[in-house]
Amino acid sequence: MDETRAYFDAVAGQWDEMRRQFFGDGVRRAAISAARIGSGTVVADVGTGTGFLAEAALDADARVIGIDVSEGMLDQVRARLAGRDFEARAGEVDALPLADGEVDAVLANMVLHHAPDPPGAIREMVRALKAGGTLVITDADTHTHEWLRTEQHDRWLGFDRADIARWFGEAGLEDVSVGDTHEVCSPTSECGTKAAITIFLARGRRP
Ligand SMILES: C[S@@+](CC[C@H](N)C(=O)[O-])C[C@H]1O[C@@H](n2cnc3c(N)ncnc32)[C@H](O)[C@@H]1O
């Protein structure tokens, strides 16, 4: 985890530009819509980075808690969202700095593939949801781009949608669906290989 944190600290100042090359705004439009975020919704954005999802949730009138393991990312997001209804908290996806049932919605874009224990991370996100709250995860489908492990510290080469659906169910969520964002993640390797990895959207509701 220290290496992952060091990587994201190092790229924090360039993350917005990197992210624009990787994927577009369709990802956050899909996530905000699936989570049914509106005025007064309390949202946790796990692995917030520079606030890609957090900003869209704020624009939908939510109150947002952004969580990240990288202090570099947290510095960026604090500066970007200063003056808005946003709180940055340092923490890890498998031990979230959130009370039980603290939020109405948990969003997590492109962080699950960095999690040491993805099913455990999902259980932890569900713990933070109120009854009736919604978890929305957007992340990479299974792929074969091994270079992402070394160049971008990806721990998992995406996920099988059936596994994600099972982990959501095992974490106690209902009305689970895993579908397309119709968006693609397109990083380029140091030697010029360009990936095109589809991005899924998983949604479930805490009973
Ligand atoms: C690929 S970036 C995505 C950032 C943001 N969600 C976005 O869509 O632009 C992954 C983010 O997750 C954070 N991260 C990685 N591992 C983490 C962990 N175990 N716990 C919390 N955050 C983590 C990184 O610091 C980084 O900000």
Side-chain angles (χ1 to χ4, degrees), residues 55-121:
E55 182 180 52
L58 289 165
D59 289 347
D61 271 343
R63 179 162 78 78
V64 182
I65 302 162
I67 297 160
D68 208 285
V69 74
S70 158
E71 283 296 340
M73 288 292 197
L74 291 171
D75 287 346
Q76 295 285 329
V77 74
R78 281 191 191 100
R80 176 183 191 159
L81 300 177
R84 304 197 67 181
D85 199 353
F86 176 79
E87 180 190 351
R89 296 185 190 173
E92 305 226 2
V93 69
D94 48 10
L96 292 170
L98 292 167
D100 293 354
E102 186 171 348
V103 299
D104 301 294
V106 174
L107 307 177
N109 183 49
M110 292 295 185
V111 64
L112 198 67
H113 65 260
H114 294 289
D117 170 17

Coordinates of all heavy atoms in Angstrom, one line a residue, residues 55-121:
E55 N -17.0 16.3 -7.2 CA -17.5 17.6 -7.8 C -18.9 17.4 -8.5 O -19.7 18.3 -8.3 CB -16.4 18.0 -8.9 CG -16.8 19.3 -9.6 CD -15.7 19.6 -10.6 OE1 -15.4 18.7 -11.5 OE2 -15.2 20.7 -10.6
A56 N -19.1 16.3 -9.1 CA -20.4 16.1 -9.8 C -21.5 15.9 -8.7 O -22.6 16.3 -8.9 CB -20.3 14.8 -10.7
A57 N -21.2 15.2 -7.6 CA -22.1 15.1 -6.5 C -22.5 16.4 -5.9 O -23.6 16.7 -5.6 CB -21.6 14.1 -5.5
L58 N -21.5 17.3 -5.7 CA -21.7 18.6 -5.2 C -22.6 19.4 -6.2 O -23.5 20.2 -5.7 CB -20.4 19.4 -5.0 CG -19.5 18.8 -3.8 CD1 -18.1 19.4 -3.9 CD2 -20.1 19.2 -2.5
D59 N -22.3 19.3 -7.4 CA -23.1 20.0 -8.4 C -24.6 19.5 -8.4 O -25.5 20.3 -8.8 CB -22.6 19.7 -9.9 CG -21.3 20.5 -10.1 OD1 -20.9 21.3 -9.3 OD2 -20.6 20.2 -11.1
A60 N -24.8 18.3 -7.8 CA -26.2 17.8 -7.7 C -26.7 18.1 -6.3 O -27.7 17.5 -5.8 CB -26.2 16.3 -7.9
D61 N -26.0 19.0 -5.6 CA -26.5 19.6 -4.3 C -26.3 18.6 -3.1 O -27.0 18.7 -2.1 CB -28.0 20.0 -4.3 CG -28.1 21.4 -4.8 OD1 -27.1 22.1 -4.7 OD2 -29.2 21.8 -5.2
A62 N -25.4 17.6 -3.3 CA -25.1 16.7 -2.1 C -24.1 17.4 -1.2 O -23.4 18.3 -1.5 CB -24.6 15.4 -2.7
R63 N -24.0 16.8 0.0 CA -22.9 17.0 0.9 C -21.9 15.9 0.7 O -22.4 14.7 0.7 CB -23.3 17.1 2.4 CG -22.2 17.3 3.4 CD -22.8 17.9 4.7 NE -23.4 16.8 5.5 CZ -22.7 16.0 6.2 NH1 -21.4 16.0 6.2 NH2 -23.3 15.1 7.0
V64 N -20.6 16.1 0.5 CA -19.7 15.1 0.1 C -18.5 14.9 1.1 O -17.9 15.9 1.5 CB -19.2 15.3 -1.3 CG1 -18.3 14.2 -1.8 CG2 -20.3 15.5 -2.3
I65 N -18.2 13.7 1.4 CA -17.0 13.3 2.1 C -16.1 12.6 1.2 O -16.5 11.5 0.6 CB -17.3 12.4 3.3 CG1 -18.4 13.1 4.3 CG2 -16.0 12.0 4.1 CD1 -19.1 12.1 5.2
G66 N -14.9 13.1 0.9 CA -14.0 12.5 -0.1 C -12.9 11.8 0.7 O -12.3 12.4 1.6
I67 N -12.7 10.6 0.4 CA -11.7 9.7 1.2 C -10.6 9.3 0.3 O -10.9 8.8 -0.9 CB -12.4 8.5 1.8 CG1 -13.5 9.1 2.8 CG2 -11.4 7.6 2.5 CD1 -14.6 8.1 3.1
D68 N -9.4 9.4 0.7 CA -8.3 8.9 -0.1 C -7.1 8.6 0.8 O -6.9 9.1 1.9 CB -7.8 9.9 -1.2 CG -7.2 9.3 -2.4 OD1 -6.1 8.8 -2.3 OD2 -7.9 9.2 -3.4
V69 N -6.3 7.6 0.3 CA -5.1 7.2 1.0 C -3.9 8.1 0.7 O -2.9 8.2 1.5 CB -4.7 5.7 0.7 CG1 -4.1 5.7 -0.7 CG2 -3.8 5.1 1.7
S70 N -4.0 8.9 -0.3 CA -2.9 9.8 -0.8 C -3.0 11.2 -0.3 O -4.0 11.9 -0.7 CB -2.8 9.8 -2.3 OG -2.1 10.9 -2.8
E71 N -2.1 11.7 0.5 CA -2.1 13.0 1.0 C -2.0 14.0 -0.2 O -2.6 15.1 -0.2 CB -1.1 13.3 2.1 CG -1.4 12.7 3.4 CD -2.6 13.4 4.1 OE1 -3.0 14.5 3.7 OE2 -3.2 12.7 5.0
G72 N -1.2 13.6 -1.2 CA -1.1 14.5 -2.4 C -2.4 14.7 -3.0 O -2.7 15.8 -3.4
M73 N -3.2 13.6 -3.2 CA -4.5 13.8 -3.8 C -5.4 14.6 -2.9 O -6.2 15.5 -3.4 CB -5.1 12.4 -4.0 CG -4.5 11.6 -5.1 SD -4.8 12.3 -6.8 CE -4.5 10.9 -7.8
L74 N -5.3 14.4 -1.6 CA -6.2 15.1 -0.7 C -5.9 16.6 -0.7 O -6.8 17.5 -0.6 CB -6.1 14.6 0.7 CG -6.7 13.2 0.9 CD1 -6.3 12.6 2.3 CD2 -8.2 13.2 0.7
D75 N -4.6 17.0 -0.8 CA -4.2 18.4 -1.0 C -4.9 19.0 -2.2 O -5.4 20.1 -2.2 CB -2.7 18.6 -1.1 CG -2.0 18.3 0.2 OD1 -2.7 18.3 1.3 OD2 -0.7 18.1 0.2
Q76 N -4.8 18.2 -3.3 CA -5.4 18.7 -4.6 C -6.9 18.9 -4.5 O -7.5 19.9 -4.9 CB -5.1 17.7 -5.7 CG -3.7 17.5 -6.1 CD -3.1 18.7 -6.9 OE1 -3.9 19.4 -7.6 NE2 -1.9 19.0 -6.7
V77 N -7.6 17.9 -3.9 CA -9.0 18.0 -3.8 C -9.5 19.1 -2.8 O -10.5 19.8 -3.1 CB -9.7 16.6 -3.6 CG1 -9.5 16.1 -2.1 CG2 -11.1 16.6 -4.0
R78 N -8.8 19.3 -1.7 CA -9.1 20.3 -0.8 C -9.0 21.7 -1.5 O -9.9 22.5 -1.3 CB -8.2 20.3 0.4 CG -8.5 19.3 1.4 CD -7.7 19.5 2.7 NE -7.8 18.3 3.6 CZ -6.8 17.4 3.7 NH1 -5.7 17.5 3.0 NH2 -7.0 16.4 4.5
A79 N -8.0 21.9 -2.3 CA -7.8 23.2 -3.0 C -8.9 23.3 -4.0 O -9.5 24.4 -4.1 CB -6.5 23.2 -3.6
R80 N -9.2 22.3 -4.7 CA -10.2 22.4 -5.8 C -11.6 22.6 -5.4 O -12.4 23.4 -6.0 CB -10.2 21.0 -6.6 CG -11.2 21.0 -7.7 CD -11.1 19.6 -8.3 NE -11.9 19.5 -9.5 CZ -11.7 18.6 -10.4 NH1 -10.7 17.7 -10.3 NH2 -12.4 18.5 -11.5
L81 N -12.0 22.0 -4.2 CA -13.4 22.1 -3.7 C -13.5 23.0 -2.5 O -14.5 22.9 -1.8 CB -13.9 20.7 -3.4 CG -13.9 19.8 -4.7 CD1 -14.4 18.4 -4.3 CD2 -14.7 20.3 -5.8
A82 N -12.5 23.9 -2.3 CA -12.6 24.8 -1.2 C -13.8 25.7 -1.3 O -14.2 26.1 -2.4 CB -11.3 25.7 -1.2
G83 N -14.5 25.8 -0.1 CA -15.7 26.7 -0.1 C -17.0 25.9 -0.4 O -18.1 26.5 -0.3
R84 N -16.9 24.7 -0.8 CA -18.0 23.9 -1.1 C -18.4 23.0 0.0 O -17.6 22.9 1.0 CB -17.8 23.1 -2.4 CG -17.5 24.1 -3.6 CD -17.6 23.5 -4.9 NE -19.0 23.2 -5.3 CZ -19.4 22.7 -6.4 NH1 -18.5 22.3 -7.3 NH2 -20.7 22.4 -6.6
D85 N -19.5 22.3 0.0 CA -19.9 21.4 1.1 C -19.2 20.1 1.0 O -19.8 19.0 0.8 CB -21.4 21.3 1.0 CG -22.0 20.8 2.4 OD1 -21.2 20.5 3.3 OD2 -23.3 20.7 2.5
F86 N -17.9 20.2 1.2 CA -17.0 19.0 1.0 C -16.0 18.9 2.2 O -15.5 19.9 2.6 CB -16.2 19.3 -0.3 CG -15.2 18.2 -0.5 CD1 -15.6 17.0 -1.1 CD2 -13.8 18.4 -0.2 CE1 -14.6 15.9 -1.3 CE2 -12.9 17.4 -0.5 CZ -13.3 16.2 -1.0
E87 N -15.8 17.7 2.6 CA -14.9 17.4 3.6 C -13.9 16.3 3.2 O -14.4 15.2 2.7 CB -15.6 16.9 4.9 CG -14.7 16.5 6.1 CD -15.5 15.9 7.2 OE1 -16.7 15.8 7.1 OE2 -14.8 15.4 8.1
A88 N -12.6 16.5 3.3 CA -11.6 15.5 2.9 C -11.2 14.7 4.1 O -11.0 15.3 5.2 CB -10.4 16.1 2.2
R89 N -11.2 13.4 4.0 CA -10.7 12.5 5.1 C -9.6 11.6 4.6 O -9.8 10.9 3.5 CB -11.8 11.7 5.7 CG -12.9 12.5 6.3 CD -14.0 11.7 7.1 NE -15.1 12.5 7.5 CZ -16.2 12.0 8.0 NH1 -16.4 10.7 8.2 NH2 -17.2 12.8 8.3
A90 N -8.5 11.4 5.3 CA -7.5 10.4 4.9 C -7.9 9.1 5.4 O -8.4 8.9 6.5 CB -6.2 10.8 5.6
G91 N -7.8 8.1 4.6 CA -8.2 6.7 5.0 C -8.1 5.7 3.9 O -7.9 6.1 2.7
E92 N -8.2 4.5 4.3 CA -8.1 3.4 3.3 C -9.4 2.7 3.1 O -10.3 2.7 3.9 CB -7.1 2.3 3.9 CG -5.8 2.9 4.3 CD -4.6 2.1 3.8 OE1 -4.8 1.0 3.1 OE2 -3.5 2.5 4.1
V93 N -9.5 2.1 1.9 CA -10.8 1.6 1.4 C -11.2 0.4 2.3 O -12.4 0.1 2.4 CB -10.7 1.2 -0.1 CG1 -9.7 0.0 -0.3 CG2 -12.0 0.9 -0.7
D94 N -10.2 -0.3 2.9 CA -10.6 -1.4 3.8 C -10.8 -1.1 5.3 O -11.0 -1.9 6.1 CB -9.7 -2.6 3.6 CG -8.2 -2.2 3.7 OD1 -8.0 -1.0 4.1 OD2 -7.3 -3.0 3.4
A95 N -10.7 0.2 5.6 CA -10.9 0.7 7.0 C -11.4 2.2 6.8 O -10.6 3.1 7.2 CB -9.7 0.6 7.8
L96 N -12.6 2.4 6.3 CA -13.0 3.7 5.9 C -13.2 4.6 7.2 O -13.7 4.1 8.2 CB -14.3 3.7 5.1 CG -14.2 3.0 3.8 CD1 -15.6 2.8 3.1 CD2 -13.3 3.9 2.8
P97 N -12.8 5.9 7.1 CA -13.0 6.8 8.2 C -14.4 7.3 8.2 O -14.7 8.5 8.1 CB -12.0 7.9 8.0 CG -11.8 7.9 6.5 CD -12.0 6.5 6.0
L98 N -15.4 6.4 8.3 CA -16.8 6.7 8.3 C -17.5 5.9 9.4 O -17.1 4.7 9.6 CB -17.4 6.3 7.0 CG -17.0 7.1 5.7 CD1 -17.5 6.3 4.4 CD2 -17.6 8.5 5.7
A99 N -18.5 6.5 10.1 CA -19.2 5.8 11.1 C -20.2 4.8 10.4 O -20.5 5.0 9.2 CB -20.0 6.8 11.9
D100 N -20.7 3.8 11.1 CA -21.7 2.9 10.6 C -22.9 3.8 10.2 O -23.4 4.6 10.9 CB -22.2 1.9 11.7 CG -21.1 1.0 12.1 OD1 -20.0 1.0 11.5 OD2 -21.3 0.2 13.0
G101 N -23.4 3.5 9.0 CA -24.6 4.2 8.5 C -24.5 5.7 8.4 O -25.5 6.4 8.5
E102 N -23.3 6.2 8.1 CA -23.1 7.7 8.1 C -23.7 8.4 6.8 O -24.0 9.5 6.8 CB -21.6 8.0 8.3 CG -21.4 9.5 8.4 CD -19.9 9.9 8.8 OE1 -19.1 9.0 9.2 OE2 -19.6 11.1 8.6
V103 N -23.7 7.6 5.7 CA -24.0 8.3 4.4 C -25.2 7.6 3.7 O -25.5 6.4 3.9 CB -22.7 8.3 3.5 CG1 -21.6 9.0 4.2 CG2 -22.3 6.9 3.2
D104 N -25.8 8.4 2.8 CA -26.9 7.9 2.0 C -26.3 7.2 0.7 O -27.1 6.3 0.1 CB -27.7 9.1 1.4 CG -28.3 9.9 2.6 OD1 -29.1 9.4 3.3 OD2 -27.9 11.1 2.7
A105 N -25.1 7.5 0.3 CA -24.6 6.9 -0.9 C -23.1 6.8 -0.8 O -22.4 7.7 -0.3 CB -25.0 7.7 -2.2
V106 N -22.6 5.7 -1.3 CA -21.1 5.5 -1.4 C -20.8 5.4 -2.9 O -21.4 4.5 -3.6 CB -20.6 4.3 -0.7 CG1 -19.1 4.1 -1.0 CG2 -20.8 4.5 0.8
L107 N -19.9 6.2 -3.4 CA -19.4 6.1 -4.8 C -17.9 5.8 -4.8 O -17.2 6.2 -3.9 CB -19.6 7.5 -5.5 CG -20.9 8.2 -5.4 CD1 -20.8 9.5 -6.1 CD2 -22.0 7.3 -6.1
A108 N -17.5 5.0 -5.8 CA -16.1 4.6 -5.8 C -15.7 4.4 -7.3 O -16.2 3.4 -7.9 CB -15.8 3.4 -5.0
N109 N -15.0 5.3 -7.9 CA -14.6 5.2 -9.3 C -13.1 4.8 -9.4 O -12.3 5.5 -8.9 CB -14.8 6.5 -10.1 CG -14.5 6.3 -11.5 OD1 -14.9 5.4 -12.2 ND2 -13.7 7.2 -12.1
M110 N -12.9 3.6 -10.0 CA -11.5 3.2 -10.3 C -10.6 3.1 -9.1 O -9.4 3.3 -9.2 CB -10.9 4.2 -11.3 CG -11.5 4.1 -12.7 SD -11.3 2.5 -13.4 CE -12.0 2.7 -15.0
V111 N -11.2 2.7 -8.0 CA -10.4 2.4 -6.8 C -10.4 1.0 -6.4 O -9.4 0.4 -5.9 CB -10.7 3.3 -5.6 CG1 -12.1 3.1 -5.1 CG2 -9.7 3.2 -4.5
L112 N -11.4 0.2 -6.8 CA -11.5 -1.2 -6.3 C -10.4 -2.0 -6.9 O -9.9 -2.9 -6.2 CB -12.9 -1.8 -6.8 CG -13.3 -3.1 -6.1 CD1 -13.6 -2.8 -4.6 CD2 -14.4 -3.7 -6.7
H113 N -9.9 -1.6 -8.1 CA -8.7 -2.4 -8.6 C -7.4 -2.1 -7.9 O -6.4 -2.8 -8.2 CB -8.6 -2.3 -10.1 CG -8.3 -1.0 -10.6 ND1 -9.2 -0.1 -11.1 CD2 -7.1 -0.3 -10.7 CE1 -8.6 1.0 -11.5 NE2 -7.3 0.9 -11.2
H114 N -7.4 -1.2 -6.9 CA -6.3 -1.0 -6.1 C -6.4 -1.6 -4.7 O -5.5 -1.6 -3.9 CB -6.0 0.5 -5.9 CG -5.6 1.2 -7.2 ND1 -4.4 1.1 -7.8 CD2 -6.3 2.1 -8.0 CE1 -4.3 1.8 -8.9 NE2 -5.5 2.4 -9.0
A115 N -7.6 -2.1 -4.4 CA -7.9 -2.6 -3.1 C -7.3 -3.9 -2.8 O -7.3 -4.8 -3.6 CB -9.4 -2.7 -2.9
P116 N -6.6 -4.1 -1.6 CA -6.0 -5.4 -1.3 C -7.0 -6.5 -1.3 O -6.7 -7.6 -1.7 CB -5.4 -5.1 0.1 CG -5.2 -3.6 0.2 CD -6.3 -3.1 -0.6
D117 N -8.2 -6.2 -0.8 CA -9.3 -7.2 -0.6 C -10.6 -6.7 -1.1 O -11.4 -6.1 -0.4 CB -9.4 -7.6 0.9 CG -10.6 -8.5 1.2 OD1 -11.1 -9.1 0.3 OD2 -10.9 -8.6 2.4
P118 N -10.9 -6.8 -2.4 CA -12.1 -6.2 -3.0 C -13.4 -6.5 -2.3 O -14.2 -5.6 -2.0 CB -12.0 -6.6 -4.5 CG -10.6 -6.8 -4.8 CD -10.0 -7.4 -3.5
P119 N -13.7 -7.8 -2.0 CA -14.9 -8.1 -1.3 C -15.0 -7.5 0.1 O -16.0 -7.0 0.5 CB -14.9 -9.7 -1.2 CG -13.9 -10.2 -2.1 CD -12.9 -9.1 -2.3
G120 N -13.8 -7.4 0.7 CA -13.8 -6.7 2.0 C -14.0 -5.3 1.9 O -14.7 -4.6 2.8
A121 N -13.5 -4.6 0.9 CA -13.7 -3.2 0.6 C -15.2 -2.9 0.4 O -15.7 -1.9 0.9 CB -12.9 -2.8 -0.6

